[in-house]
Amino acid sequence: MSAFWYYVFTLVFVMFDYFILAMGLNIQYGETGILNFAYIGFVALGAYVTGASSLPPSAGTGQQYIMGWGIPFPFNLLLGGLAASLLAVFVAVVALRRLRTDYLAVVLISFSLVFYDITNNYVPLFNGADGLYNVPEPLASVFKLTTNSFVPFFAVVAGLIALIMWWAMSRITNSPLGRTFRAIRDDDGVAAALGKGVFRYQLTSMLIGAFYAGVGGGLLVQFGGSFNTSSWLPAETFVVFAVIIVGGVGNNVGLLVGSLLVETLLIHLPAFLPDIPGHPGLIQYIDTMVVGVLLWVMLWFRPQGVVPERVRKTPLSLLQGLKSDRTANAEVPAMSLVDGAGVVEEGGVRD
Amino acid sequence: MTSGQIETPTTGGSEGAALSCQELKKSFLGVAAVTGATFDVPKGMITALIGPNGAGKTTVVNILSGMMKSDSGSMQVGTVDVTNWESHKIARLGLMRTFQLSRELGGLTVLENLLVAPKHQAGESLFNIFLRPGLAKREELANTERAIEILRTYGLFDLRDNRASELSGGQKKLLEIARAVMAQPKVLLLDEPMAGVNPALIERIGGYILDLKKQGVTVLMVEHNLNVVEKICDHVIVLAEGRTLATGRLSELRANPEVVQAYLGEVINASTTR
């Protein structure tokens, strides 16, 4: 396979992977209104658990890590997703129950920094700053894949997983559960006054979003074969935010567009370009600035994103099923403020 | 809500009262907003909560609906002591509310605002979404039909697919009441439902409230429009300086010098000499 196609399939993988990550953050932020600035921490945990659970025991590998169970794909990926969800329960119980909006965001970003420092410095956990490497390529031995053929293969696998997760997410966001999430996003006080246990729904949203983060992280570690702390600096969370803000908060199609525009074309594509002579790394810096400016421009001029959240209209089939006299406003009942008139007597309330 | 919940034997709560409170007190940074609110809201009637600005009416409504905790005192929905319960738990007993300044769910359509309201929907469970989709779909269909019926009643049918944030002030007031009705309330707290709406709409809202009474819903409404109070309310509670000053029929309260001095005063005189 030529270098060109290698790059193309790498970009395709990145697009699908960030689509999954964006769906996870979108259900938390776009649908439920939880400003999760620790999102990248959940991605990292999913990546580490997926990688460490698929590696053999650490003794003799030159690395230090927990687990080392040699769990095959896709079970290691599921484990990564579940581990991230477990972390979400902890984070939700600690932070979500009592804090809202800005305060919650501050606590979550602090949490992300603490998790980063622990992982970076406590080597026995996930090999410290060196991170995990030699993570097995999933199904490579089953399909006798080479390093070259693994890239397109796994891009397709990531695409299939993204498709399944898109279907599942659409089921959730189009259900009464998704509607309740959006009600909480719009006004959690009103949702509570309607009998919705806001914390329970926020916890559910965090669990779902964290699972997506964990799976997205798990795919990353298996695609690259390695993962270390430089891959998930807390600022990376804002890249995923950029994906959903540019694409369209609350719209799954918009997330795919955002993933293509921001992560694939603006961040990863330039990484394959040759350096400007005499200015190594300059392209990446320009790249970061362009993403920042794009985010700024979008928030200023088109905060709803490229593909805005759609209005969920009454199903036509339902309206057609109604009798014709039911498709118009009813006659309006009225009291009368004029003395001696109608409804006042019916109510029987005159003093 | 289940009837079993509301029948749970507890302390407090007067017989015949859908909602009661005793000696509710609430201060904000040392400023006393409610200093002893004690009253019963009779079951199946429309009760007005009136009083001058700053009397603590909205604070009392916030406490009764669980959106604010009281510093002391107690309250009951039916016979269930709900003192300082969280608002969603109180709502599940059948107590719904609207707000002084409309709080529509702006990103949702008008129809969706109503569809959020029913409690314990099958489609709110991940298990049902993926493993019992038929159950969730059937319930959603029934809820949608009911919501459309309510929208027709409240004259909002044509706006069903508009985002709630696009409605006018009066339409938002109607939407809030319709949303509360969708939740099948036993007790409905209306915080100034007529505030800022035109006379024609005041009449309509009054009609809806009378209609709810006929359906057996107990209503407690904060209201400044004494003409409306006189026409539709069976019972009146006067709150002044954070405490219950008097309760009774408006005609009785007109003769109460304390009430006249604290609130009614010129308003009553003006309306009776009209």
Side-chain angles (χ1 to χ4, degrees):
Chain A
M1 186 176 62
S2 69
F4 173 77
W5 286 110
Y6 180 89
Y7 294 146
V8 167
F9 280 111
T10 300
L11 292 175
V12 168
F13 169 80
V14 166
M15 184 184 72
F16 287 135
D17 193 60
Y18 270 79
F19 177 44
I20 294 170
L21 296 183
M23 282 193 283
L25 184 59
N26 182 61
I27 194 153
Q28 295 176 349
Y29 170 65
E31 301 280 338
T32 321
I34 304 167
L35 207 50
N36 184 2
F37 282 169
Y39 190 69
I40 202 67
F42 297 93
V43 177
L45 185 66
Y48 282 125
V49 169
T50 302
S53 65
S54 65
L55 281 163
S58 63
T61 61
Q63 306 178 61
Q64 291 185 64
Y65 47 81
I66 55 172
M67 293 186 272
W69 298 326
I71 296 178
F73 180 85
F75 302 106
N76 58 341
L77 191 64
L78 279 174
L79 201 62
L82 291 174
S85 291
L86 200 63
L87 181 66
V89 175
F90 172 74
V91 171
V93 168
V94 171
L96 208 55
R97 190 177 269 279
R98 293 194 171 273
L99 300 172
R100 293 282 181 275
T101 57
D102 331 19
Y103 297 101
L104 177 66
V106 169
V107 168
L108 287 174
I109 202 164
S110 312
F111 166 81
S112 178
L113 292 166
V114 169
F115 183 48
Y116 178 86
D117 277 341
I118 290 173
T119 315
N120 200 39
N121 294 300
Y122 184 61
V123 177
L125 191 61
F126 294 121
N127 211 30
D130 289 341
L132 304 176
Y133 49 87
N134 290 334
V135 175
E137 292 177 337
L139 307 172
S141 56
V142 177
F143 293 102
K144 297 187 171 45
L145 300 168
T146 64
T147 304
N148 263 351
S149 57
F150 173 74
V151 171
F153 168 77
F154 205 62
V156 172
V157 170
L160 288 174
I161 291 172
L163 195 67
I164 293 166
M165 295 183 88
W166 184 2
W167 170 82
M169 187 59 83
S170 297
R171 290 293 293 265
I172 294 169
T173 54
N174 290 325
S175 71
L177 179 64
R179 188 170 57 220
T180 302
F181 285 160
R182 289 189 294 282
I184 290 169
R185 172 196 67 186
D186 285 0
D187 193 329
D188 58 354
V190 169
L194 288 169
K196 310 295 174 188
V198 170
F199 174 70
R200 202 193 100 200
Y201 289 103
Q202 287 180 324
L203 177 62
T204 306
S205 171
M206 281 290 282
L207 282 175
I208 298 166
F211 183 80
Y212 275 63
V215 169
L219 287 171
L220 270 179
V221 74
Q222 291 180 110
F223 184 76
S226 62
F227 197 81
N228 62 32
T229 47
S230 67
S231 314
W232 60 282
L233 289 162
E236 287 291 318
T237 291
F238 297 99
V239 174
V240 191
F241 267 103
V243 167
I244 66 171
I245 288 169
V246 170
V249 174
N251 188 310
N252 290 343
V253 176
L255 303 179
L256 187 61
V257 173
S259 175
L260 176 69
L261 289 178
V262 177
E263 187 59 32
T264 311
L265 298 182
L266 282 178
I267 295 181
H268 267 82
L269 181 65
F272 291 133
L273 299 176
D275 273 329
I276 298 168
H279 302 283
L282 181 62
I283 287 179
Q284 277 177 306
Y285 292 123
I286 294 172
D287 205 24
T288 309
M289 285 190 283
V290 168
V291 172
V293 170
L294 178 68
L295 196 55
W296 182 39
V297 168
M298 289 300 292
L299 285 171
W300 192 269
F301 294 106
R302 199 176 163 83
Q304 69 273 38
V306 175
V307 188
E309 183 177 352
R310 70 188 168 88
V311 175
R312 290 170 166 82
K313 296 197 170 180
T314 315
L316 198 61
S317 55
L318 186 80
L319 290 178
Q320 285 167 342
L322 290 174
K323 291 175 187 167
S324 57
D325 66 337
R326 293 188 165 202
T327 55
N329 289 326
E331 195 178 319
V332 172
M335 66 167 196
S336 175
L337 298 180
V338 180
D339 284 345
V343 185
V344 176
E345 276 70 25
E346 286 177 34
V349 293
R350 178 70 60 85
D351 287 330
Chain B
M1 187 210 75
T2 64
S3 56
Q5 280 176 299
I6 205 150
E7 295 304 329
T8 308
T10 51
T11 56
S14 307
E15 205 172 318
L19 178 66
S20 318
C21 63
Q22 300 84 33
E23 283 301 312
L24 286 182
K25 289 182 183 168
K26 178 73 184 175
S27 297
F28 298 100
L29 300 171
V31 179
V34 181
T35 55
T38 301
F39 55 79
D40 292 336
V41 177
K43 203 176 278 183
M45 291 190 185
I46 302 173
T47 301
L49 183 60
I50 64 171
N53 289 327
K57 302 181 295 295
T58 294
T59 306
V60 166
V61 168
N62 283 339
I63 292 170
L64 292 174
S65 60
M67 300 196 81
M68 209 175 261
K69 287 193 188 326
S70 63
D71 297 335
S72 63
S74 59
M75 55 190 208
Q76 299 80 32
V77 174
T79 55
V80 182
D81 191 307
V82 295
T83 308
N84 288 340
W85 278 26
E86 290 174 280
S87 59
H88 71 275
K89 291 180 181 164
I90 294 177
R92 285 177 194 165
L93 289 178
L95 185 143
M96 291 290 143
R97 68 163 295 177
T98 65
F99 297 86
Q100 189 175 3
L101 299 172
S102 299
R103 284 169 67 172
E104 75 287 355
L105 300 166
L108 272 59
T109 64
V110 168
L111 178 65
E112 284 181 310
N113 263 264
L114 264 67
L115 288 173
V116 166
K119 295 178 276 285
H120 306 300
Q121 297 182 47
E124 287 179 334
S125 139
L126 282 174
F127 180 84
N128 289 334
I129 290 170
F130 290 106
L131 299 175
R132 293 199 295 183
L135 173 71
K137 197 174 175 181
R138 278 195 301 279
E139 192 190 75
E140 179 74 352
L141 195 69
N143 282 339
T144 308
E145 283 185 342
R146 206 170 137 258
I148 284 177
E149 201 60 50
I150 291 172
L151 288 178
R152 287 183 65 244
T153 304
Y154 282 78
L156 295 169
F157 178 78
D158 294 338
L159 298 165
R160 65 191 180 281
D161 290 335
N162 285 49
R163 282 192 206 276
S165 57
E166 296 165 2
L167 301 187
S168 69
Q171 288 165 338
K172 284 177 183 176
K173 287 275 183 193
L174 286 174
L175 175 62
E176 274 208 316
I177 300 172
R179 187 175 65 196
V181 169
M182 183 74 191
Q184 297 180 302
K186 283 188 160 30
V187 182
L188 186 56
L189 307 186
L190 303 172
D191 195 354
E192 298 196 30
M194 319 283 191
V197 299
N198 64 60
L201 190 53
I202 286 179
E203 298 215 353
R204 271 177 64 187
I205 292 175
Y208 293 133
I209 295 171
L210 286 169
D211 219 32
L212 287 171
K213 178 190 164 183
K214 283 183 198 162
Q215 293 165 31
V217 177
T218 301
V219 178
L220 173 67
M221 58 188 278
V222 176
E223 189 50 63
H224 283 293
N225 186 335
L226 291 183
N227 206 12
V228 171
V229 172
E230 185 177 25
K231 299 290 181 191
I232 70 170
C233 294
D234 308 295
H235 186 70
V236 178
I237 298 162
V238 185
L239 215 61
E241 294 176 355
R243 68 186 177 86
T244 310
L245 193 62
T247 62
R249 287 174 162 255
L250 192 59
S251 55
E252 296 160 1
L253 296 174
R254 277 192 197 121
N256 183 328
E258 266 191 306
V259 175
V260 172
Q261 189 185 2
Y263 181 57
L264 300 179
E266 295 302 315
V267 182
I268 283 288
N269 292 336
S271 66
T272 49
T273 55
R274 195 157 40 93

